[in-house]
Amino acid sequence: MTGQLRFPDLPGTTRSAENARRAGKVVDMLKPIPLELIQRARDRLDRSVLRTPLLEFNGPAPGGCKIFLKLENLQPIGSFKIRGAGAALALADRGQLARGVYTASAGNMAQGLAFHARRLGIPCTSVVPDHAPKTKLDALRRLGAEVISVPFPRWWQTLEESRFPGLEGLFVHPVSDPLVMAGNATIGLEILEDLPDVDTILVPFGGGGLSCGIASAATALQPGVNVLACEVETAAPLAAAWEAGRPTAIDYRPSFVDGIGGRTVLPEMWPLARRLLRGSIVVSLEETRAALRLLLERNHVLSEGAGAVPLAAALSGRASGKRIVTVVSGGNIDFSALLPILVPEIGA
């Protein structure tokens, strides 16, 4: 993949004037997503995408700080991915859309794409890793998507190559598509509007599309805000990249935290992540389990493992600032994984 991505043109649509201006315009992936593009993404997202609440965490907080929860688990598909998918399809070439859309996703991006594809009346396919949870796969099929399950290395290859043999139509990359990142960045706009004096924003790190999107908004509007990636010990490629000074392969181990992590940082995302993010906080599986329990028991918030990782990072005391926002990125957790976390003796 190159370090630059082009916007699609939209000939013959009601947006043709806007897209004539943008046709051939290049987004430099070494630079933050432009604020103008983020604001346009917000304008394009319709009422099917919620402006989610920002609530104060009801629980212990280290050092007298205040922790806030950005509840993306309340989106119609239970995940923030509905934003990026919606922004990407809103500017897609209509000829490509006629042949359908597809992505490579463990579940949430695929659900976001399937949600919008169903509304547009076009086919949708998702290539998923073979450890994807049944809850997410069932949701995909309910939304009318076709599911292709492959071993994790083959799934990762699809991410790297942005294609899959035999599939036609528009491939929407779940991470490095600038329009997807612009949609994700609308979360940053909402956080800064609702809590202007925020010090730190903690974001799960899967491929970097969410964290770099939010950091792009923060850099444009409040450069003093710290945006940190949050990873789990079994899948922390960003921390490894920071230590090595470049993307490097890690020993990826699947766990109930299924929505983030990978075997390495995507090369095209590394320069942007290194520029925009202030670091990575790596938490243990047990810290994540504890955060997930607190979210449900004290705040009545159902989170998936990835969505609980930022809270685990905040509770660890390793994030600076008096006002810390944690992005609860999704709530699509398989109940078979949830029960042993809530009632440990079940898994004993």
Side-chain angles (χ1 to χ4, degrees), residues 182-205:
N184 297 341
T186 61
I187 297 171
L189 296 183
E190 293 174 11
I191 290 172
L192 295 172
E193 289 167 357
D194 292 346
L195 191 69
D197 53 356
V198 59
D199 298 308
T200 299
I201 303 174
L202 302 180
V203 191
F205 188 90

Side-chain angles (χ1 to χ4, degrees), residues 323-341:
R323 296 171 182 83
I324 300 172
V325 170
T326 66
V327 178
V328 183
S329 55
N332 296 316
I333 188 168
D334 197 320
F335 288 134
S336 64
L338 179 62
L339 285 175
I341 293 171

Side-chain angles (χ1 to χ4, degrees), residues 130-152:
D130 53 12
H131 67 271
K134 184 176 182 296
T135 298
K136 293 182 179 180
L137 299 182
D138 289 345
L140 270 177
R141 293 185 176 103
R142 285 196 302 271
L143 288 167
E146 180 183 352
V147 175
I148 299 175
S149 181
V150 297
F152 182 86

Side-chain angles (χ1 to χ4, degrees), residues 3-4 27-32 267-268 270-272 274-276:
Q4 296 180 328
V27 172
D28 187 344
M29 292 299 288
L30 299 178
K31 297 180 179 179
E268 69 270 26
W270 168 239
L272 193 59
R274 182 170 56 180
R275 174 174 179 171
L276 291 176

Side-chain angles (χ1 to χ4, degrees), residues 22-153:
R22 297 179 59 180
K25 184 177 180 180
V26 173
V27 172
D28 187 344
M29 292 299 288
L30 299 178
K31 297 180 179 179
I33 302 300
L35 180 60
E36 179 187 10
L37 180 57
I38 299 170
Q39 291 169 332
R40 287 181 179 177
R42 177 154 70 173
D43 292 341
R44 291 194 298 268
L45 293 174
D46 60 24
R47 294 180 183 178
S48 63
V49 176
L50 299 180
R51 181 191 176 102
T52 54
L54 183 70
L55 303 180
E56 187 170 351
F57 172 63
N58 180 26
C65 72
K66 289 187 177 182
I67 299 174
F68 296 84
L69 309 171
K70 180 60 172 171
L71 297 179
E72 286 297 297
N73 61 310
L74 298 181
Q75 292 290 357
I77 63 162
S79 167
F80 78 95
K81 293 285 191 178
I82 196 172
R83 295 178 185 257
L89 293 193
L91 282 181
D93 179 89
R94 293 308 186 260
Q96 288 181 302
L97 289 185
R99 297 191 297 273
V101 293
Y102 71 103
T103 189
S105 167
N108 284 339
M109 181 62 181
Q111 286 184 58
L113 200 62
F115 178 89
H116 290 289
R118 184 174 66 173
R119 296 175 62 246
L120 292 172
I122 59 176
C124 178
T125 302
S126 181
V127 180
V128 305
D130 53 12
H131 67 271
K134 184 176 182 296
T135 298
K136 293 182 179 180
L137 299 182
D138 289 345
L140 270 177
R141 293 185 176 103
R142 285 196 302 271
L143 288 167
E146 180 183 352
V147 175
I148 299 175
S149 181
V150 297
F152 182 86

